[in-house]
Amino acid sequence: MPRARASSIENTFAEHFGDVWKLLSETTAFLARTDAFGQYEAQLRALRASLQSSSRSDEVARAVRTEIVDLRKALRLQGYDLSLASQRLRFEGFRNDACMREGFKRLVLFLAEGDAYWLSGEDNHIALSEFLEARIEASGGKRIRERHYLWFQRRGGELVFSGSDTESAEDFQRLVKIGEANELFLLGKLRKLS
């Protein structure tokens, strides 16, 4: 069975048999990080009220779970990635090469209109940047608007970014603002970063 299909079946199974309160909380937390939250806020509030008023009713719990699962399916069809619900983006100042002893790795991140390109590796940031830029040009990628030279580390559900010596303080602060405004976008683009 293809991995994507198996993953989809696993997600459906987990949603049907997972704790309905947890599922509702995760869905609410995810939507709260999107522009679509206002569209679903009343529905989520009504589901929570149903569970609270009938906390011992298996029938109500099944009905609420079914509605949440249907909502999550609809969100996926709209392009939302609910697997990012527990992921966070964190910014921690600047670091130098010594941070490699702490498990940090080099990352070059280019932002384009509606897209992001990245490359991590052991070469220095300038070499990584040149290689990534050549790869983007060869593939006919979008025009780069921002270039960032970072250190990164995964800590559980967090993706931690720190500026490198190649990154200016102004550029890093601009990335912090972009990240705070578009956290799910960046987390989605950097999903395979490890």
Side-chain angles (χ1 to χ4, degrees), residues 7 9 19 48 63 90 92 116 118 148 152 186:
S7 179
I9 291 170
D19 178 60
R48 186 171 298 280
R90 181 177 174 150
E92 290 185 351
W118 60 271
H148 296 280
F152 81 95
L186 283 178

Side-chain angles (χ1 to χ4, degrees), residues 16-190:
H16 278 295
F17 296 102
D19 178 60
V20 68
W21 279 105
K22 182 179 178 190
L23 197 56
L24 177 58
S25 293
E26 286 176 354
T27 305
T28 303
F30 175 82
L31 281 168
R33 296 168 65 191
T34 70
D35 294 336
F37 181 69
Q39 178 182 346
Y40 297 100
E41 186 175 10
Q43 179 183 5
L44 294 167
R45 195 176 304 120
L47 292 172
R48 186 171 298 280
S50 292
L51 285 175
Q52 288 172 335
S53 66
S54 304
S55 61
R56 299 192 188 276
S57 170
D58 288 340
E59 186 177 320
V60 169
R62 273 192 300 277
V64 169
R65 181 180 290 116
T66 298
E67 191 170 341
I68 296 168
V69 169
D70 290 345
L71 171 61
R72 291 170 69 95
K73 285 178 186 174
L75 290 169
R76 284 189 194 101
L77 289 173
Q78 294 174 41
Y80 289 104
D81 184 349
L82 282 88
S83 69
L84 300 175
S86 62
Q87 297 289 310
R88 294 287 180 262
L89 191 56
R90 181 177 174 150
F91 295 92
E92 290 185 351
F94 282 78
R95 298 188 190 287
N96 59 32
D97 289 2
C99 72
M100 290 175 16
R101 288 187 297 245
E102 301 169 34
F104 280 86
K105 300 175 186 173
R106 287 184 180 91
L107 170 70
V108 175
L109 174 64
F110 291 175
L111 301 177
E113 185 67 39
D115 211 348
Y117 304 97
W118 60 271
L119 182 64
S120 68
E122 295 187 15
D123 286 334
N124 67 49
H125 284 97
I126 299 301
L128 290 172
S129 176
E130 289 171 355
F131 184 78
L132 180 58
E133 192 158 357
R135 192 166 73 184
I136 293 168
E137 286 176 14
S139 68
K142 297 178 181 175
R143 187 175 73 78
I144 304 306
R145 294 179 182 241
E146 302 253 349
R147 289 173 171 77
H148 296 280
Y149 309 93
L150 308 165
W151 293 101
F152 81 95
Q153 182 181 64
R154 290 244 182 227
R155 294 182 195 152
E158 284 187 330
L159 175 57
V160 180
F161 283 157
S162 293
S164 74
D165 292 337
T166 311
E167 177 87 352
S168 74
E170 296 80 20
D171 287 345
F172 187 69
Q173 283 309 309
R174 201 166 48 250
L175 179 62
V176 170
K177 288 179 183 175
I178 291 168
E180 289 170 350
N182 302 285
E183 183 179 29
L184 292 173
F185 166 77
L186 283 178
L187 288 170
K189 291 295 182 180
L190 297 163

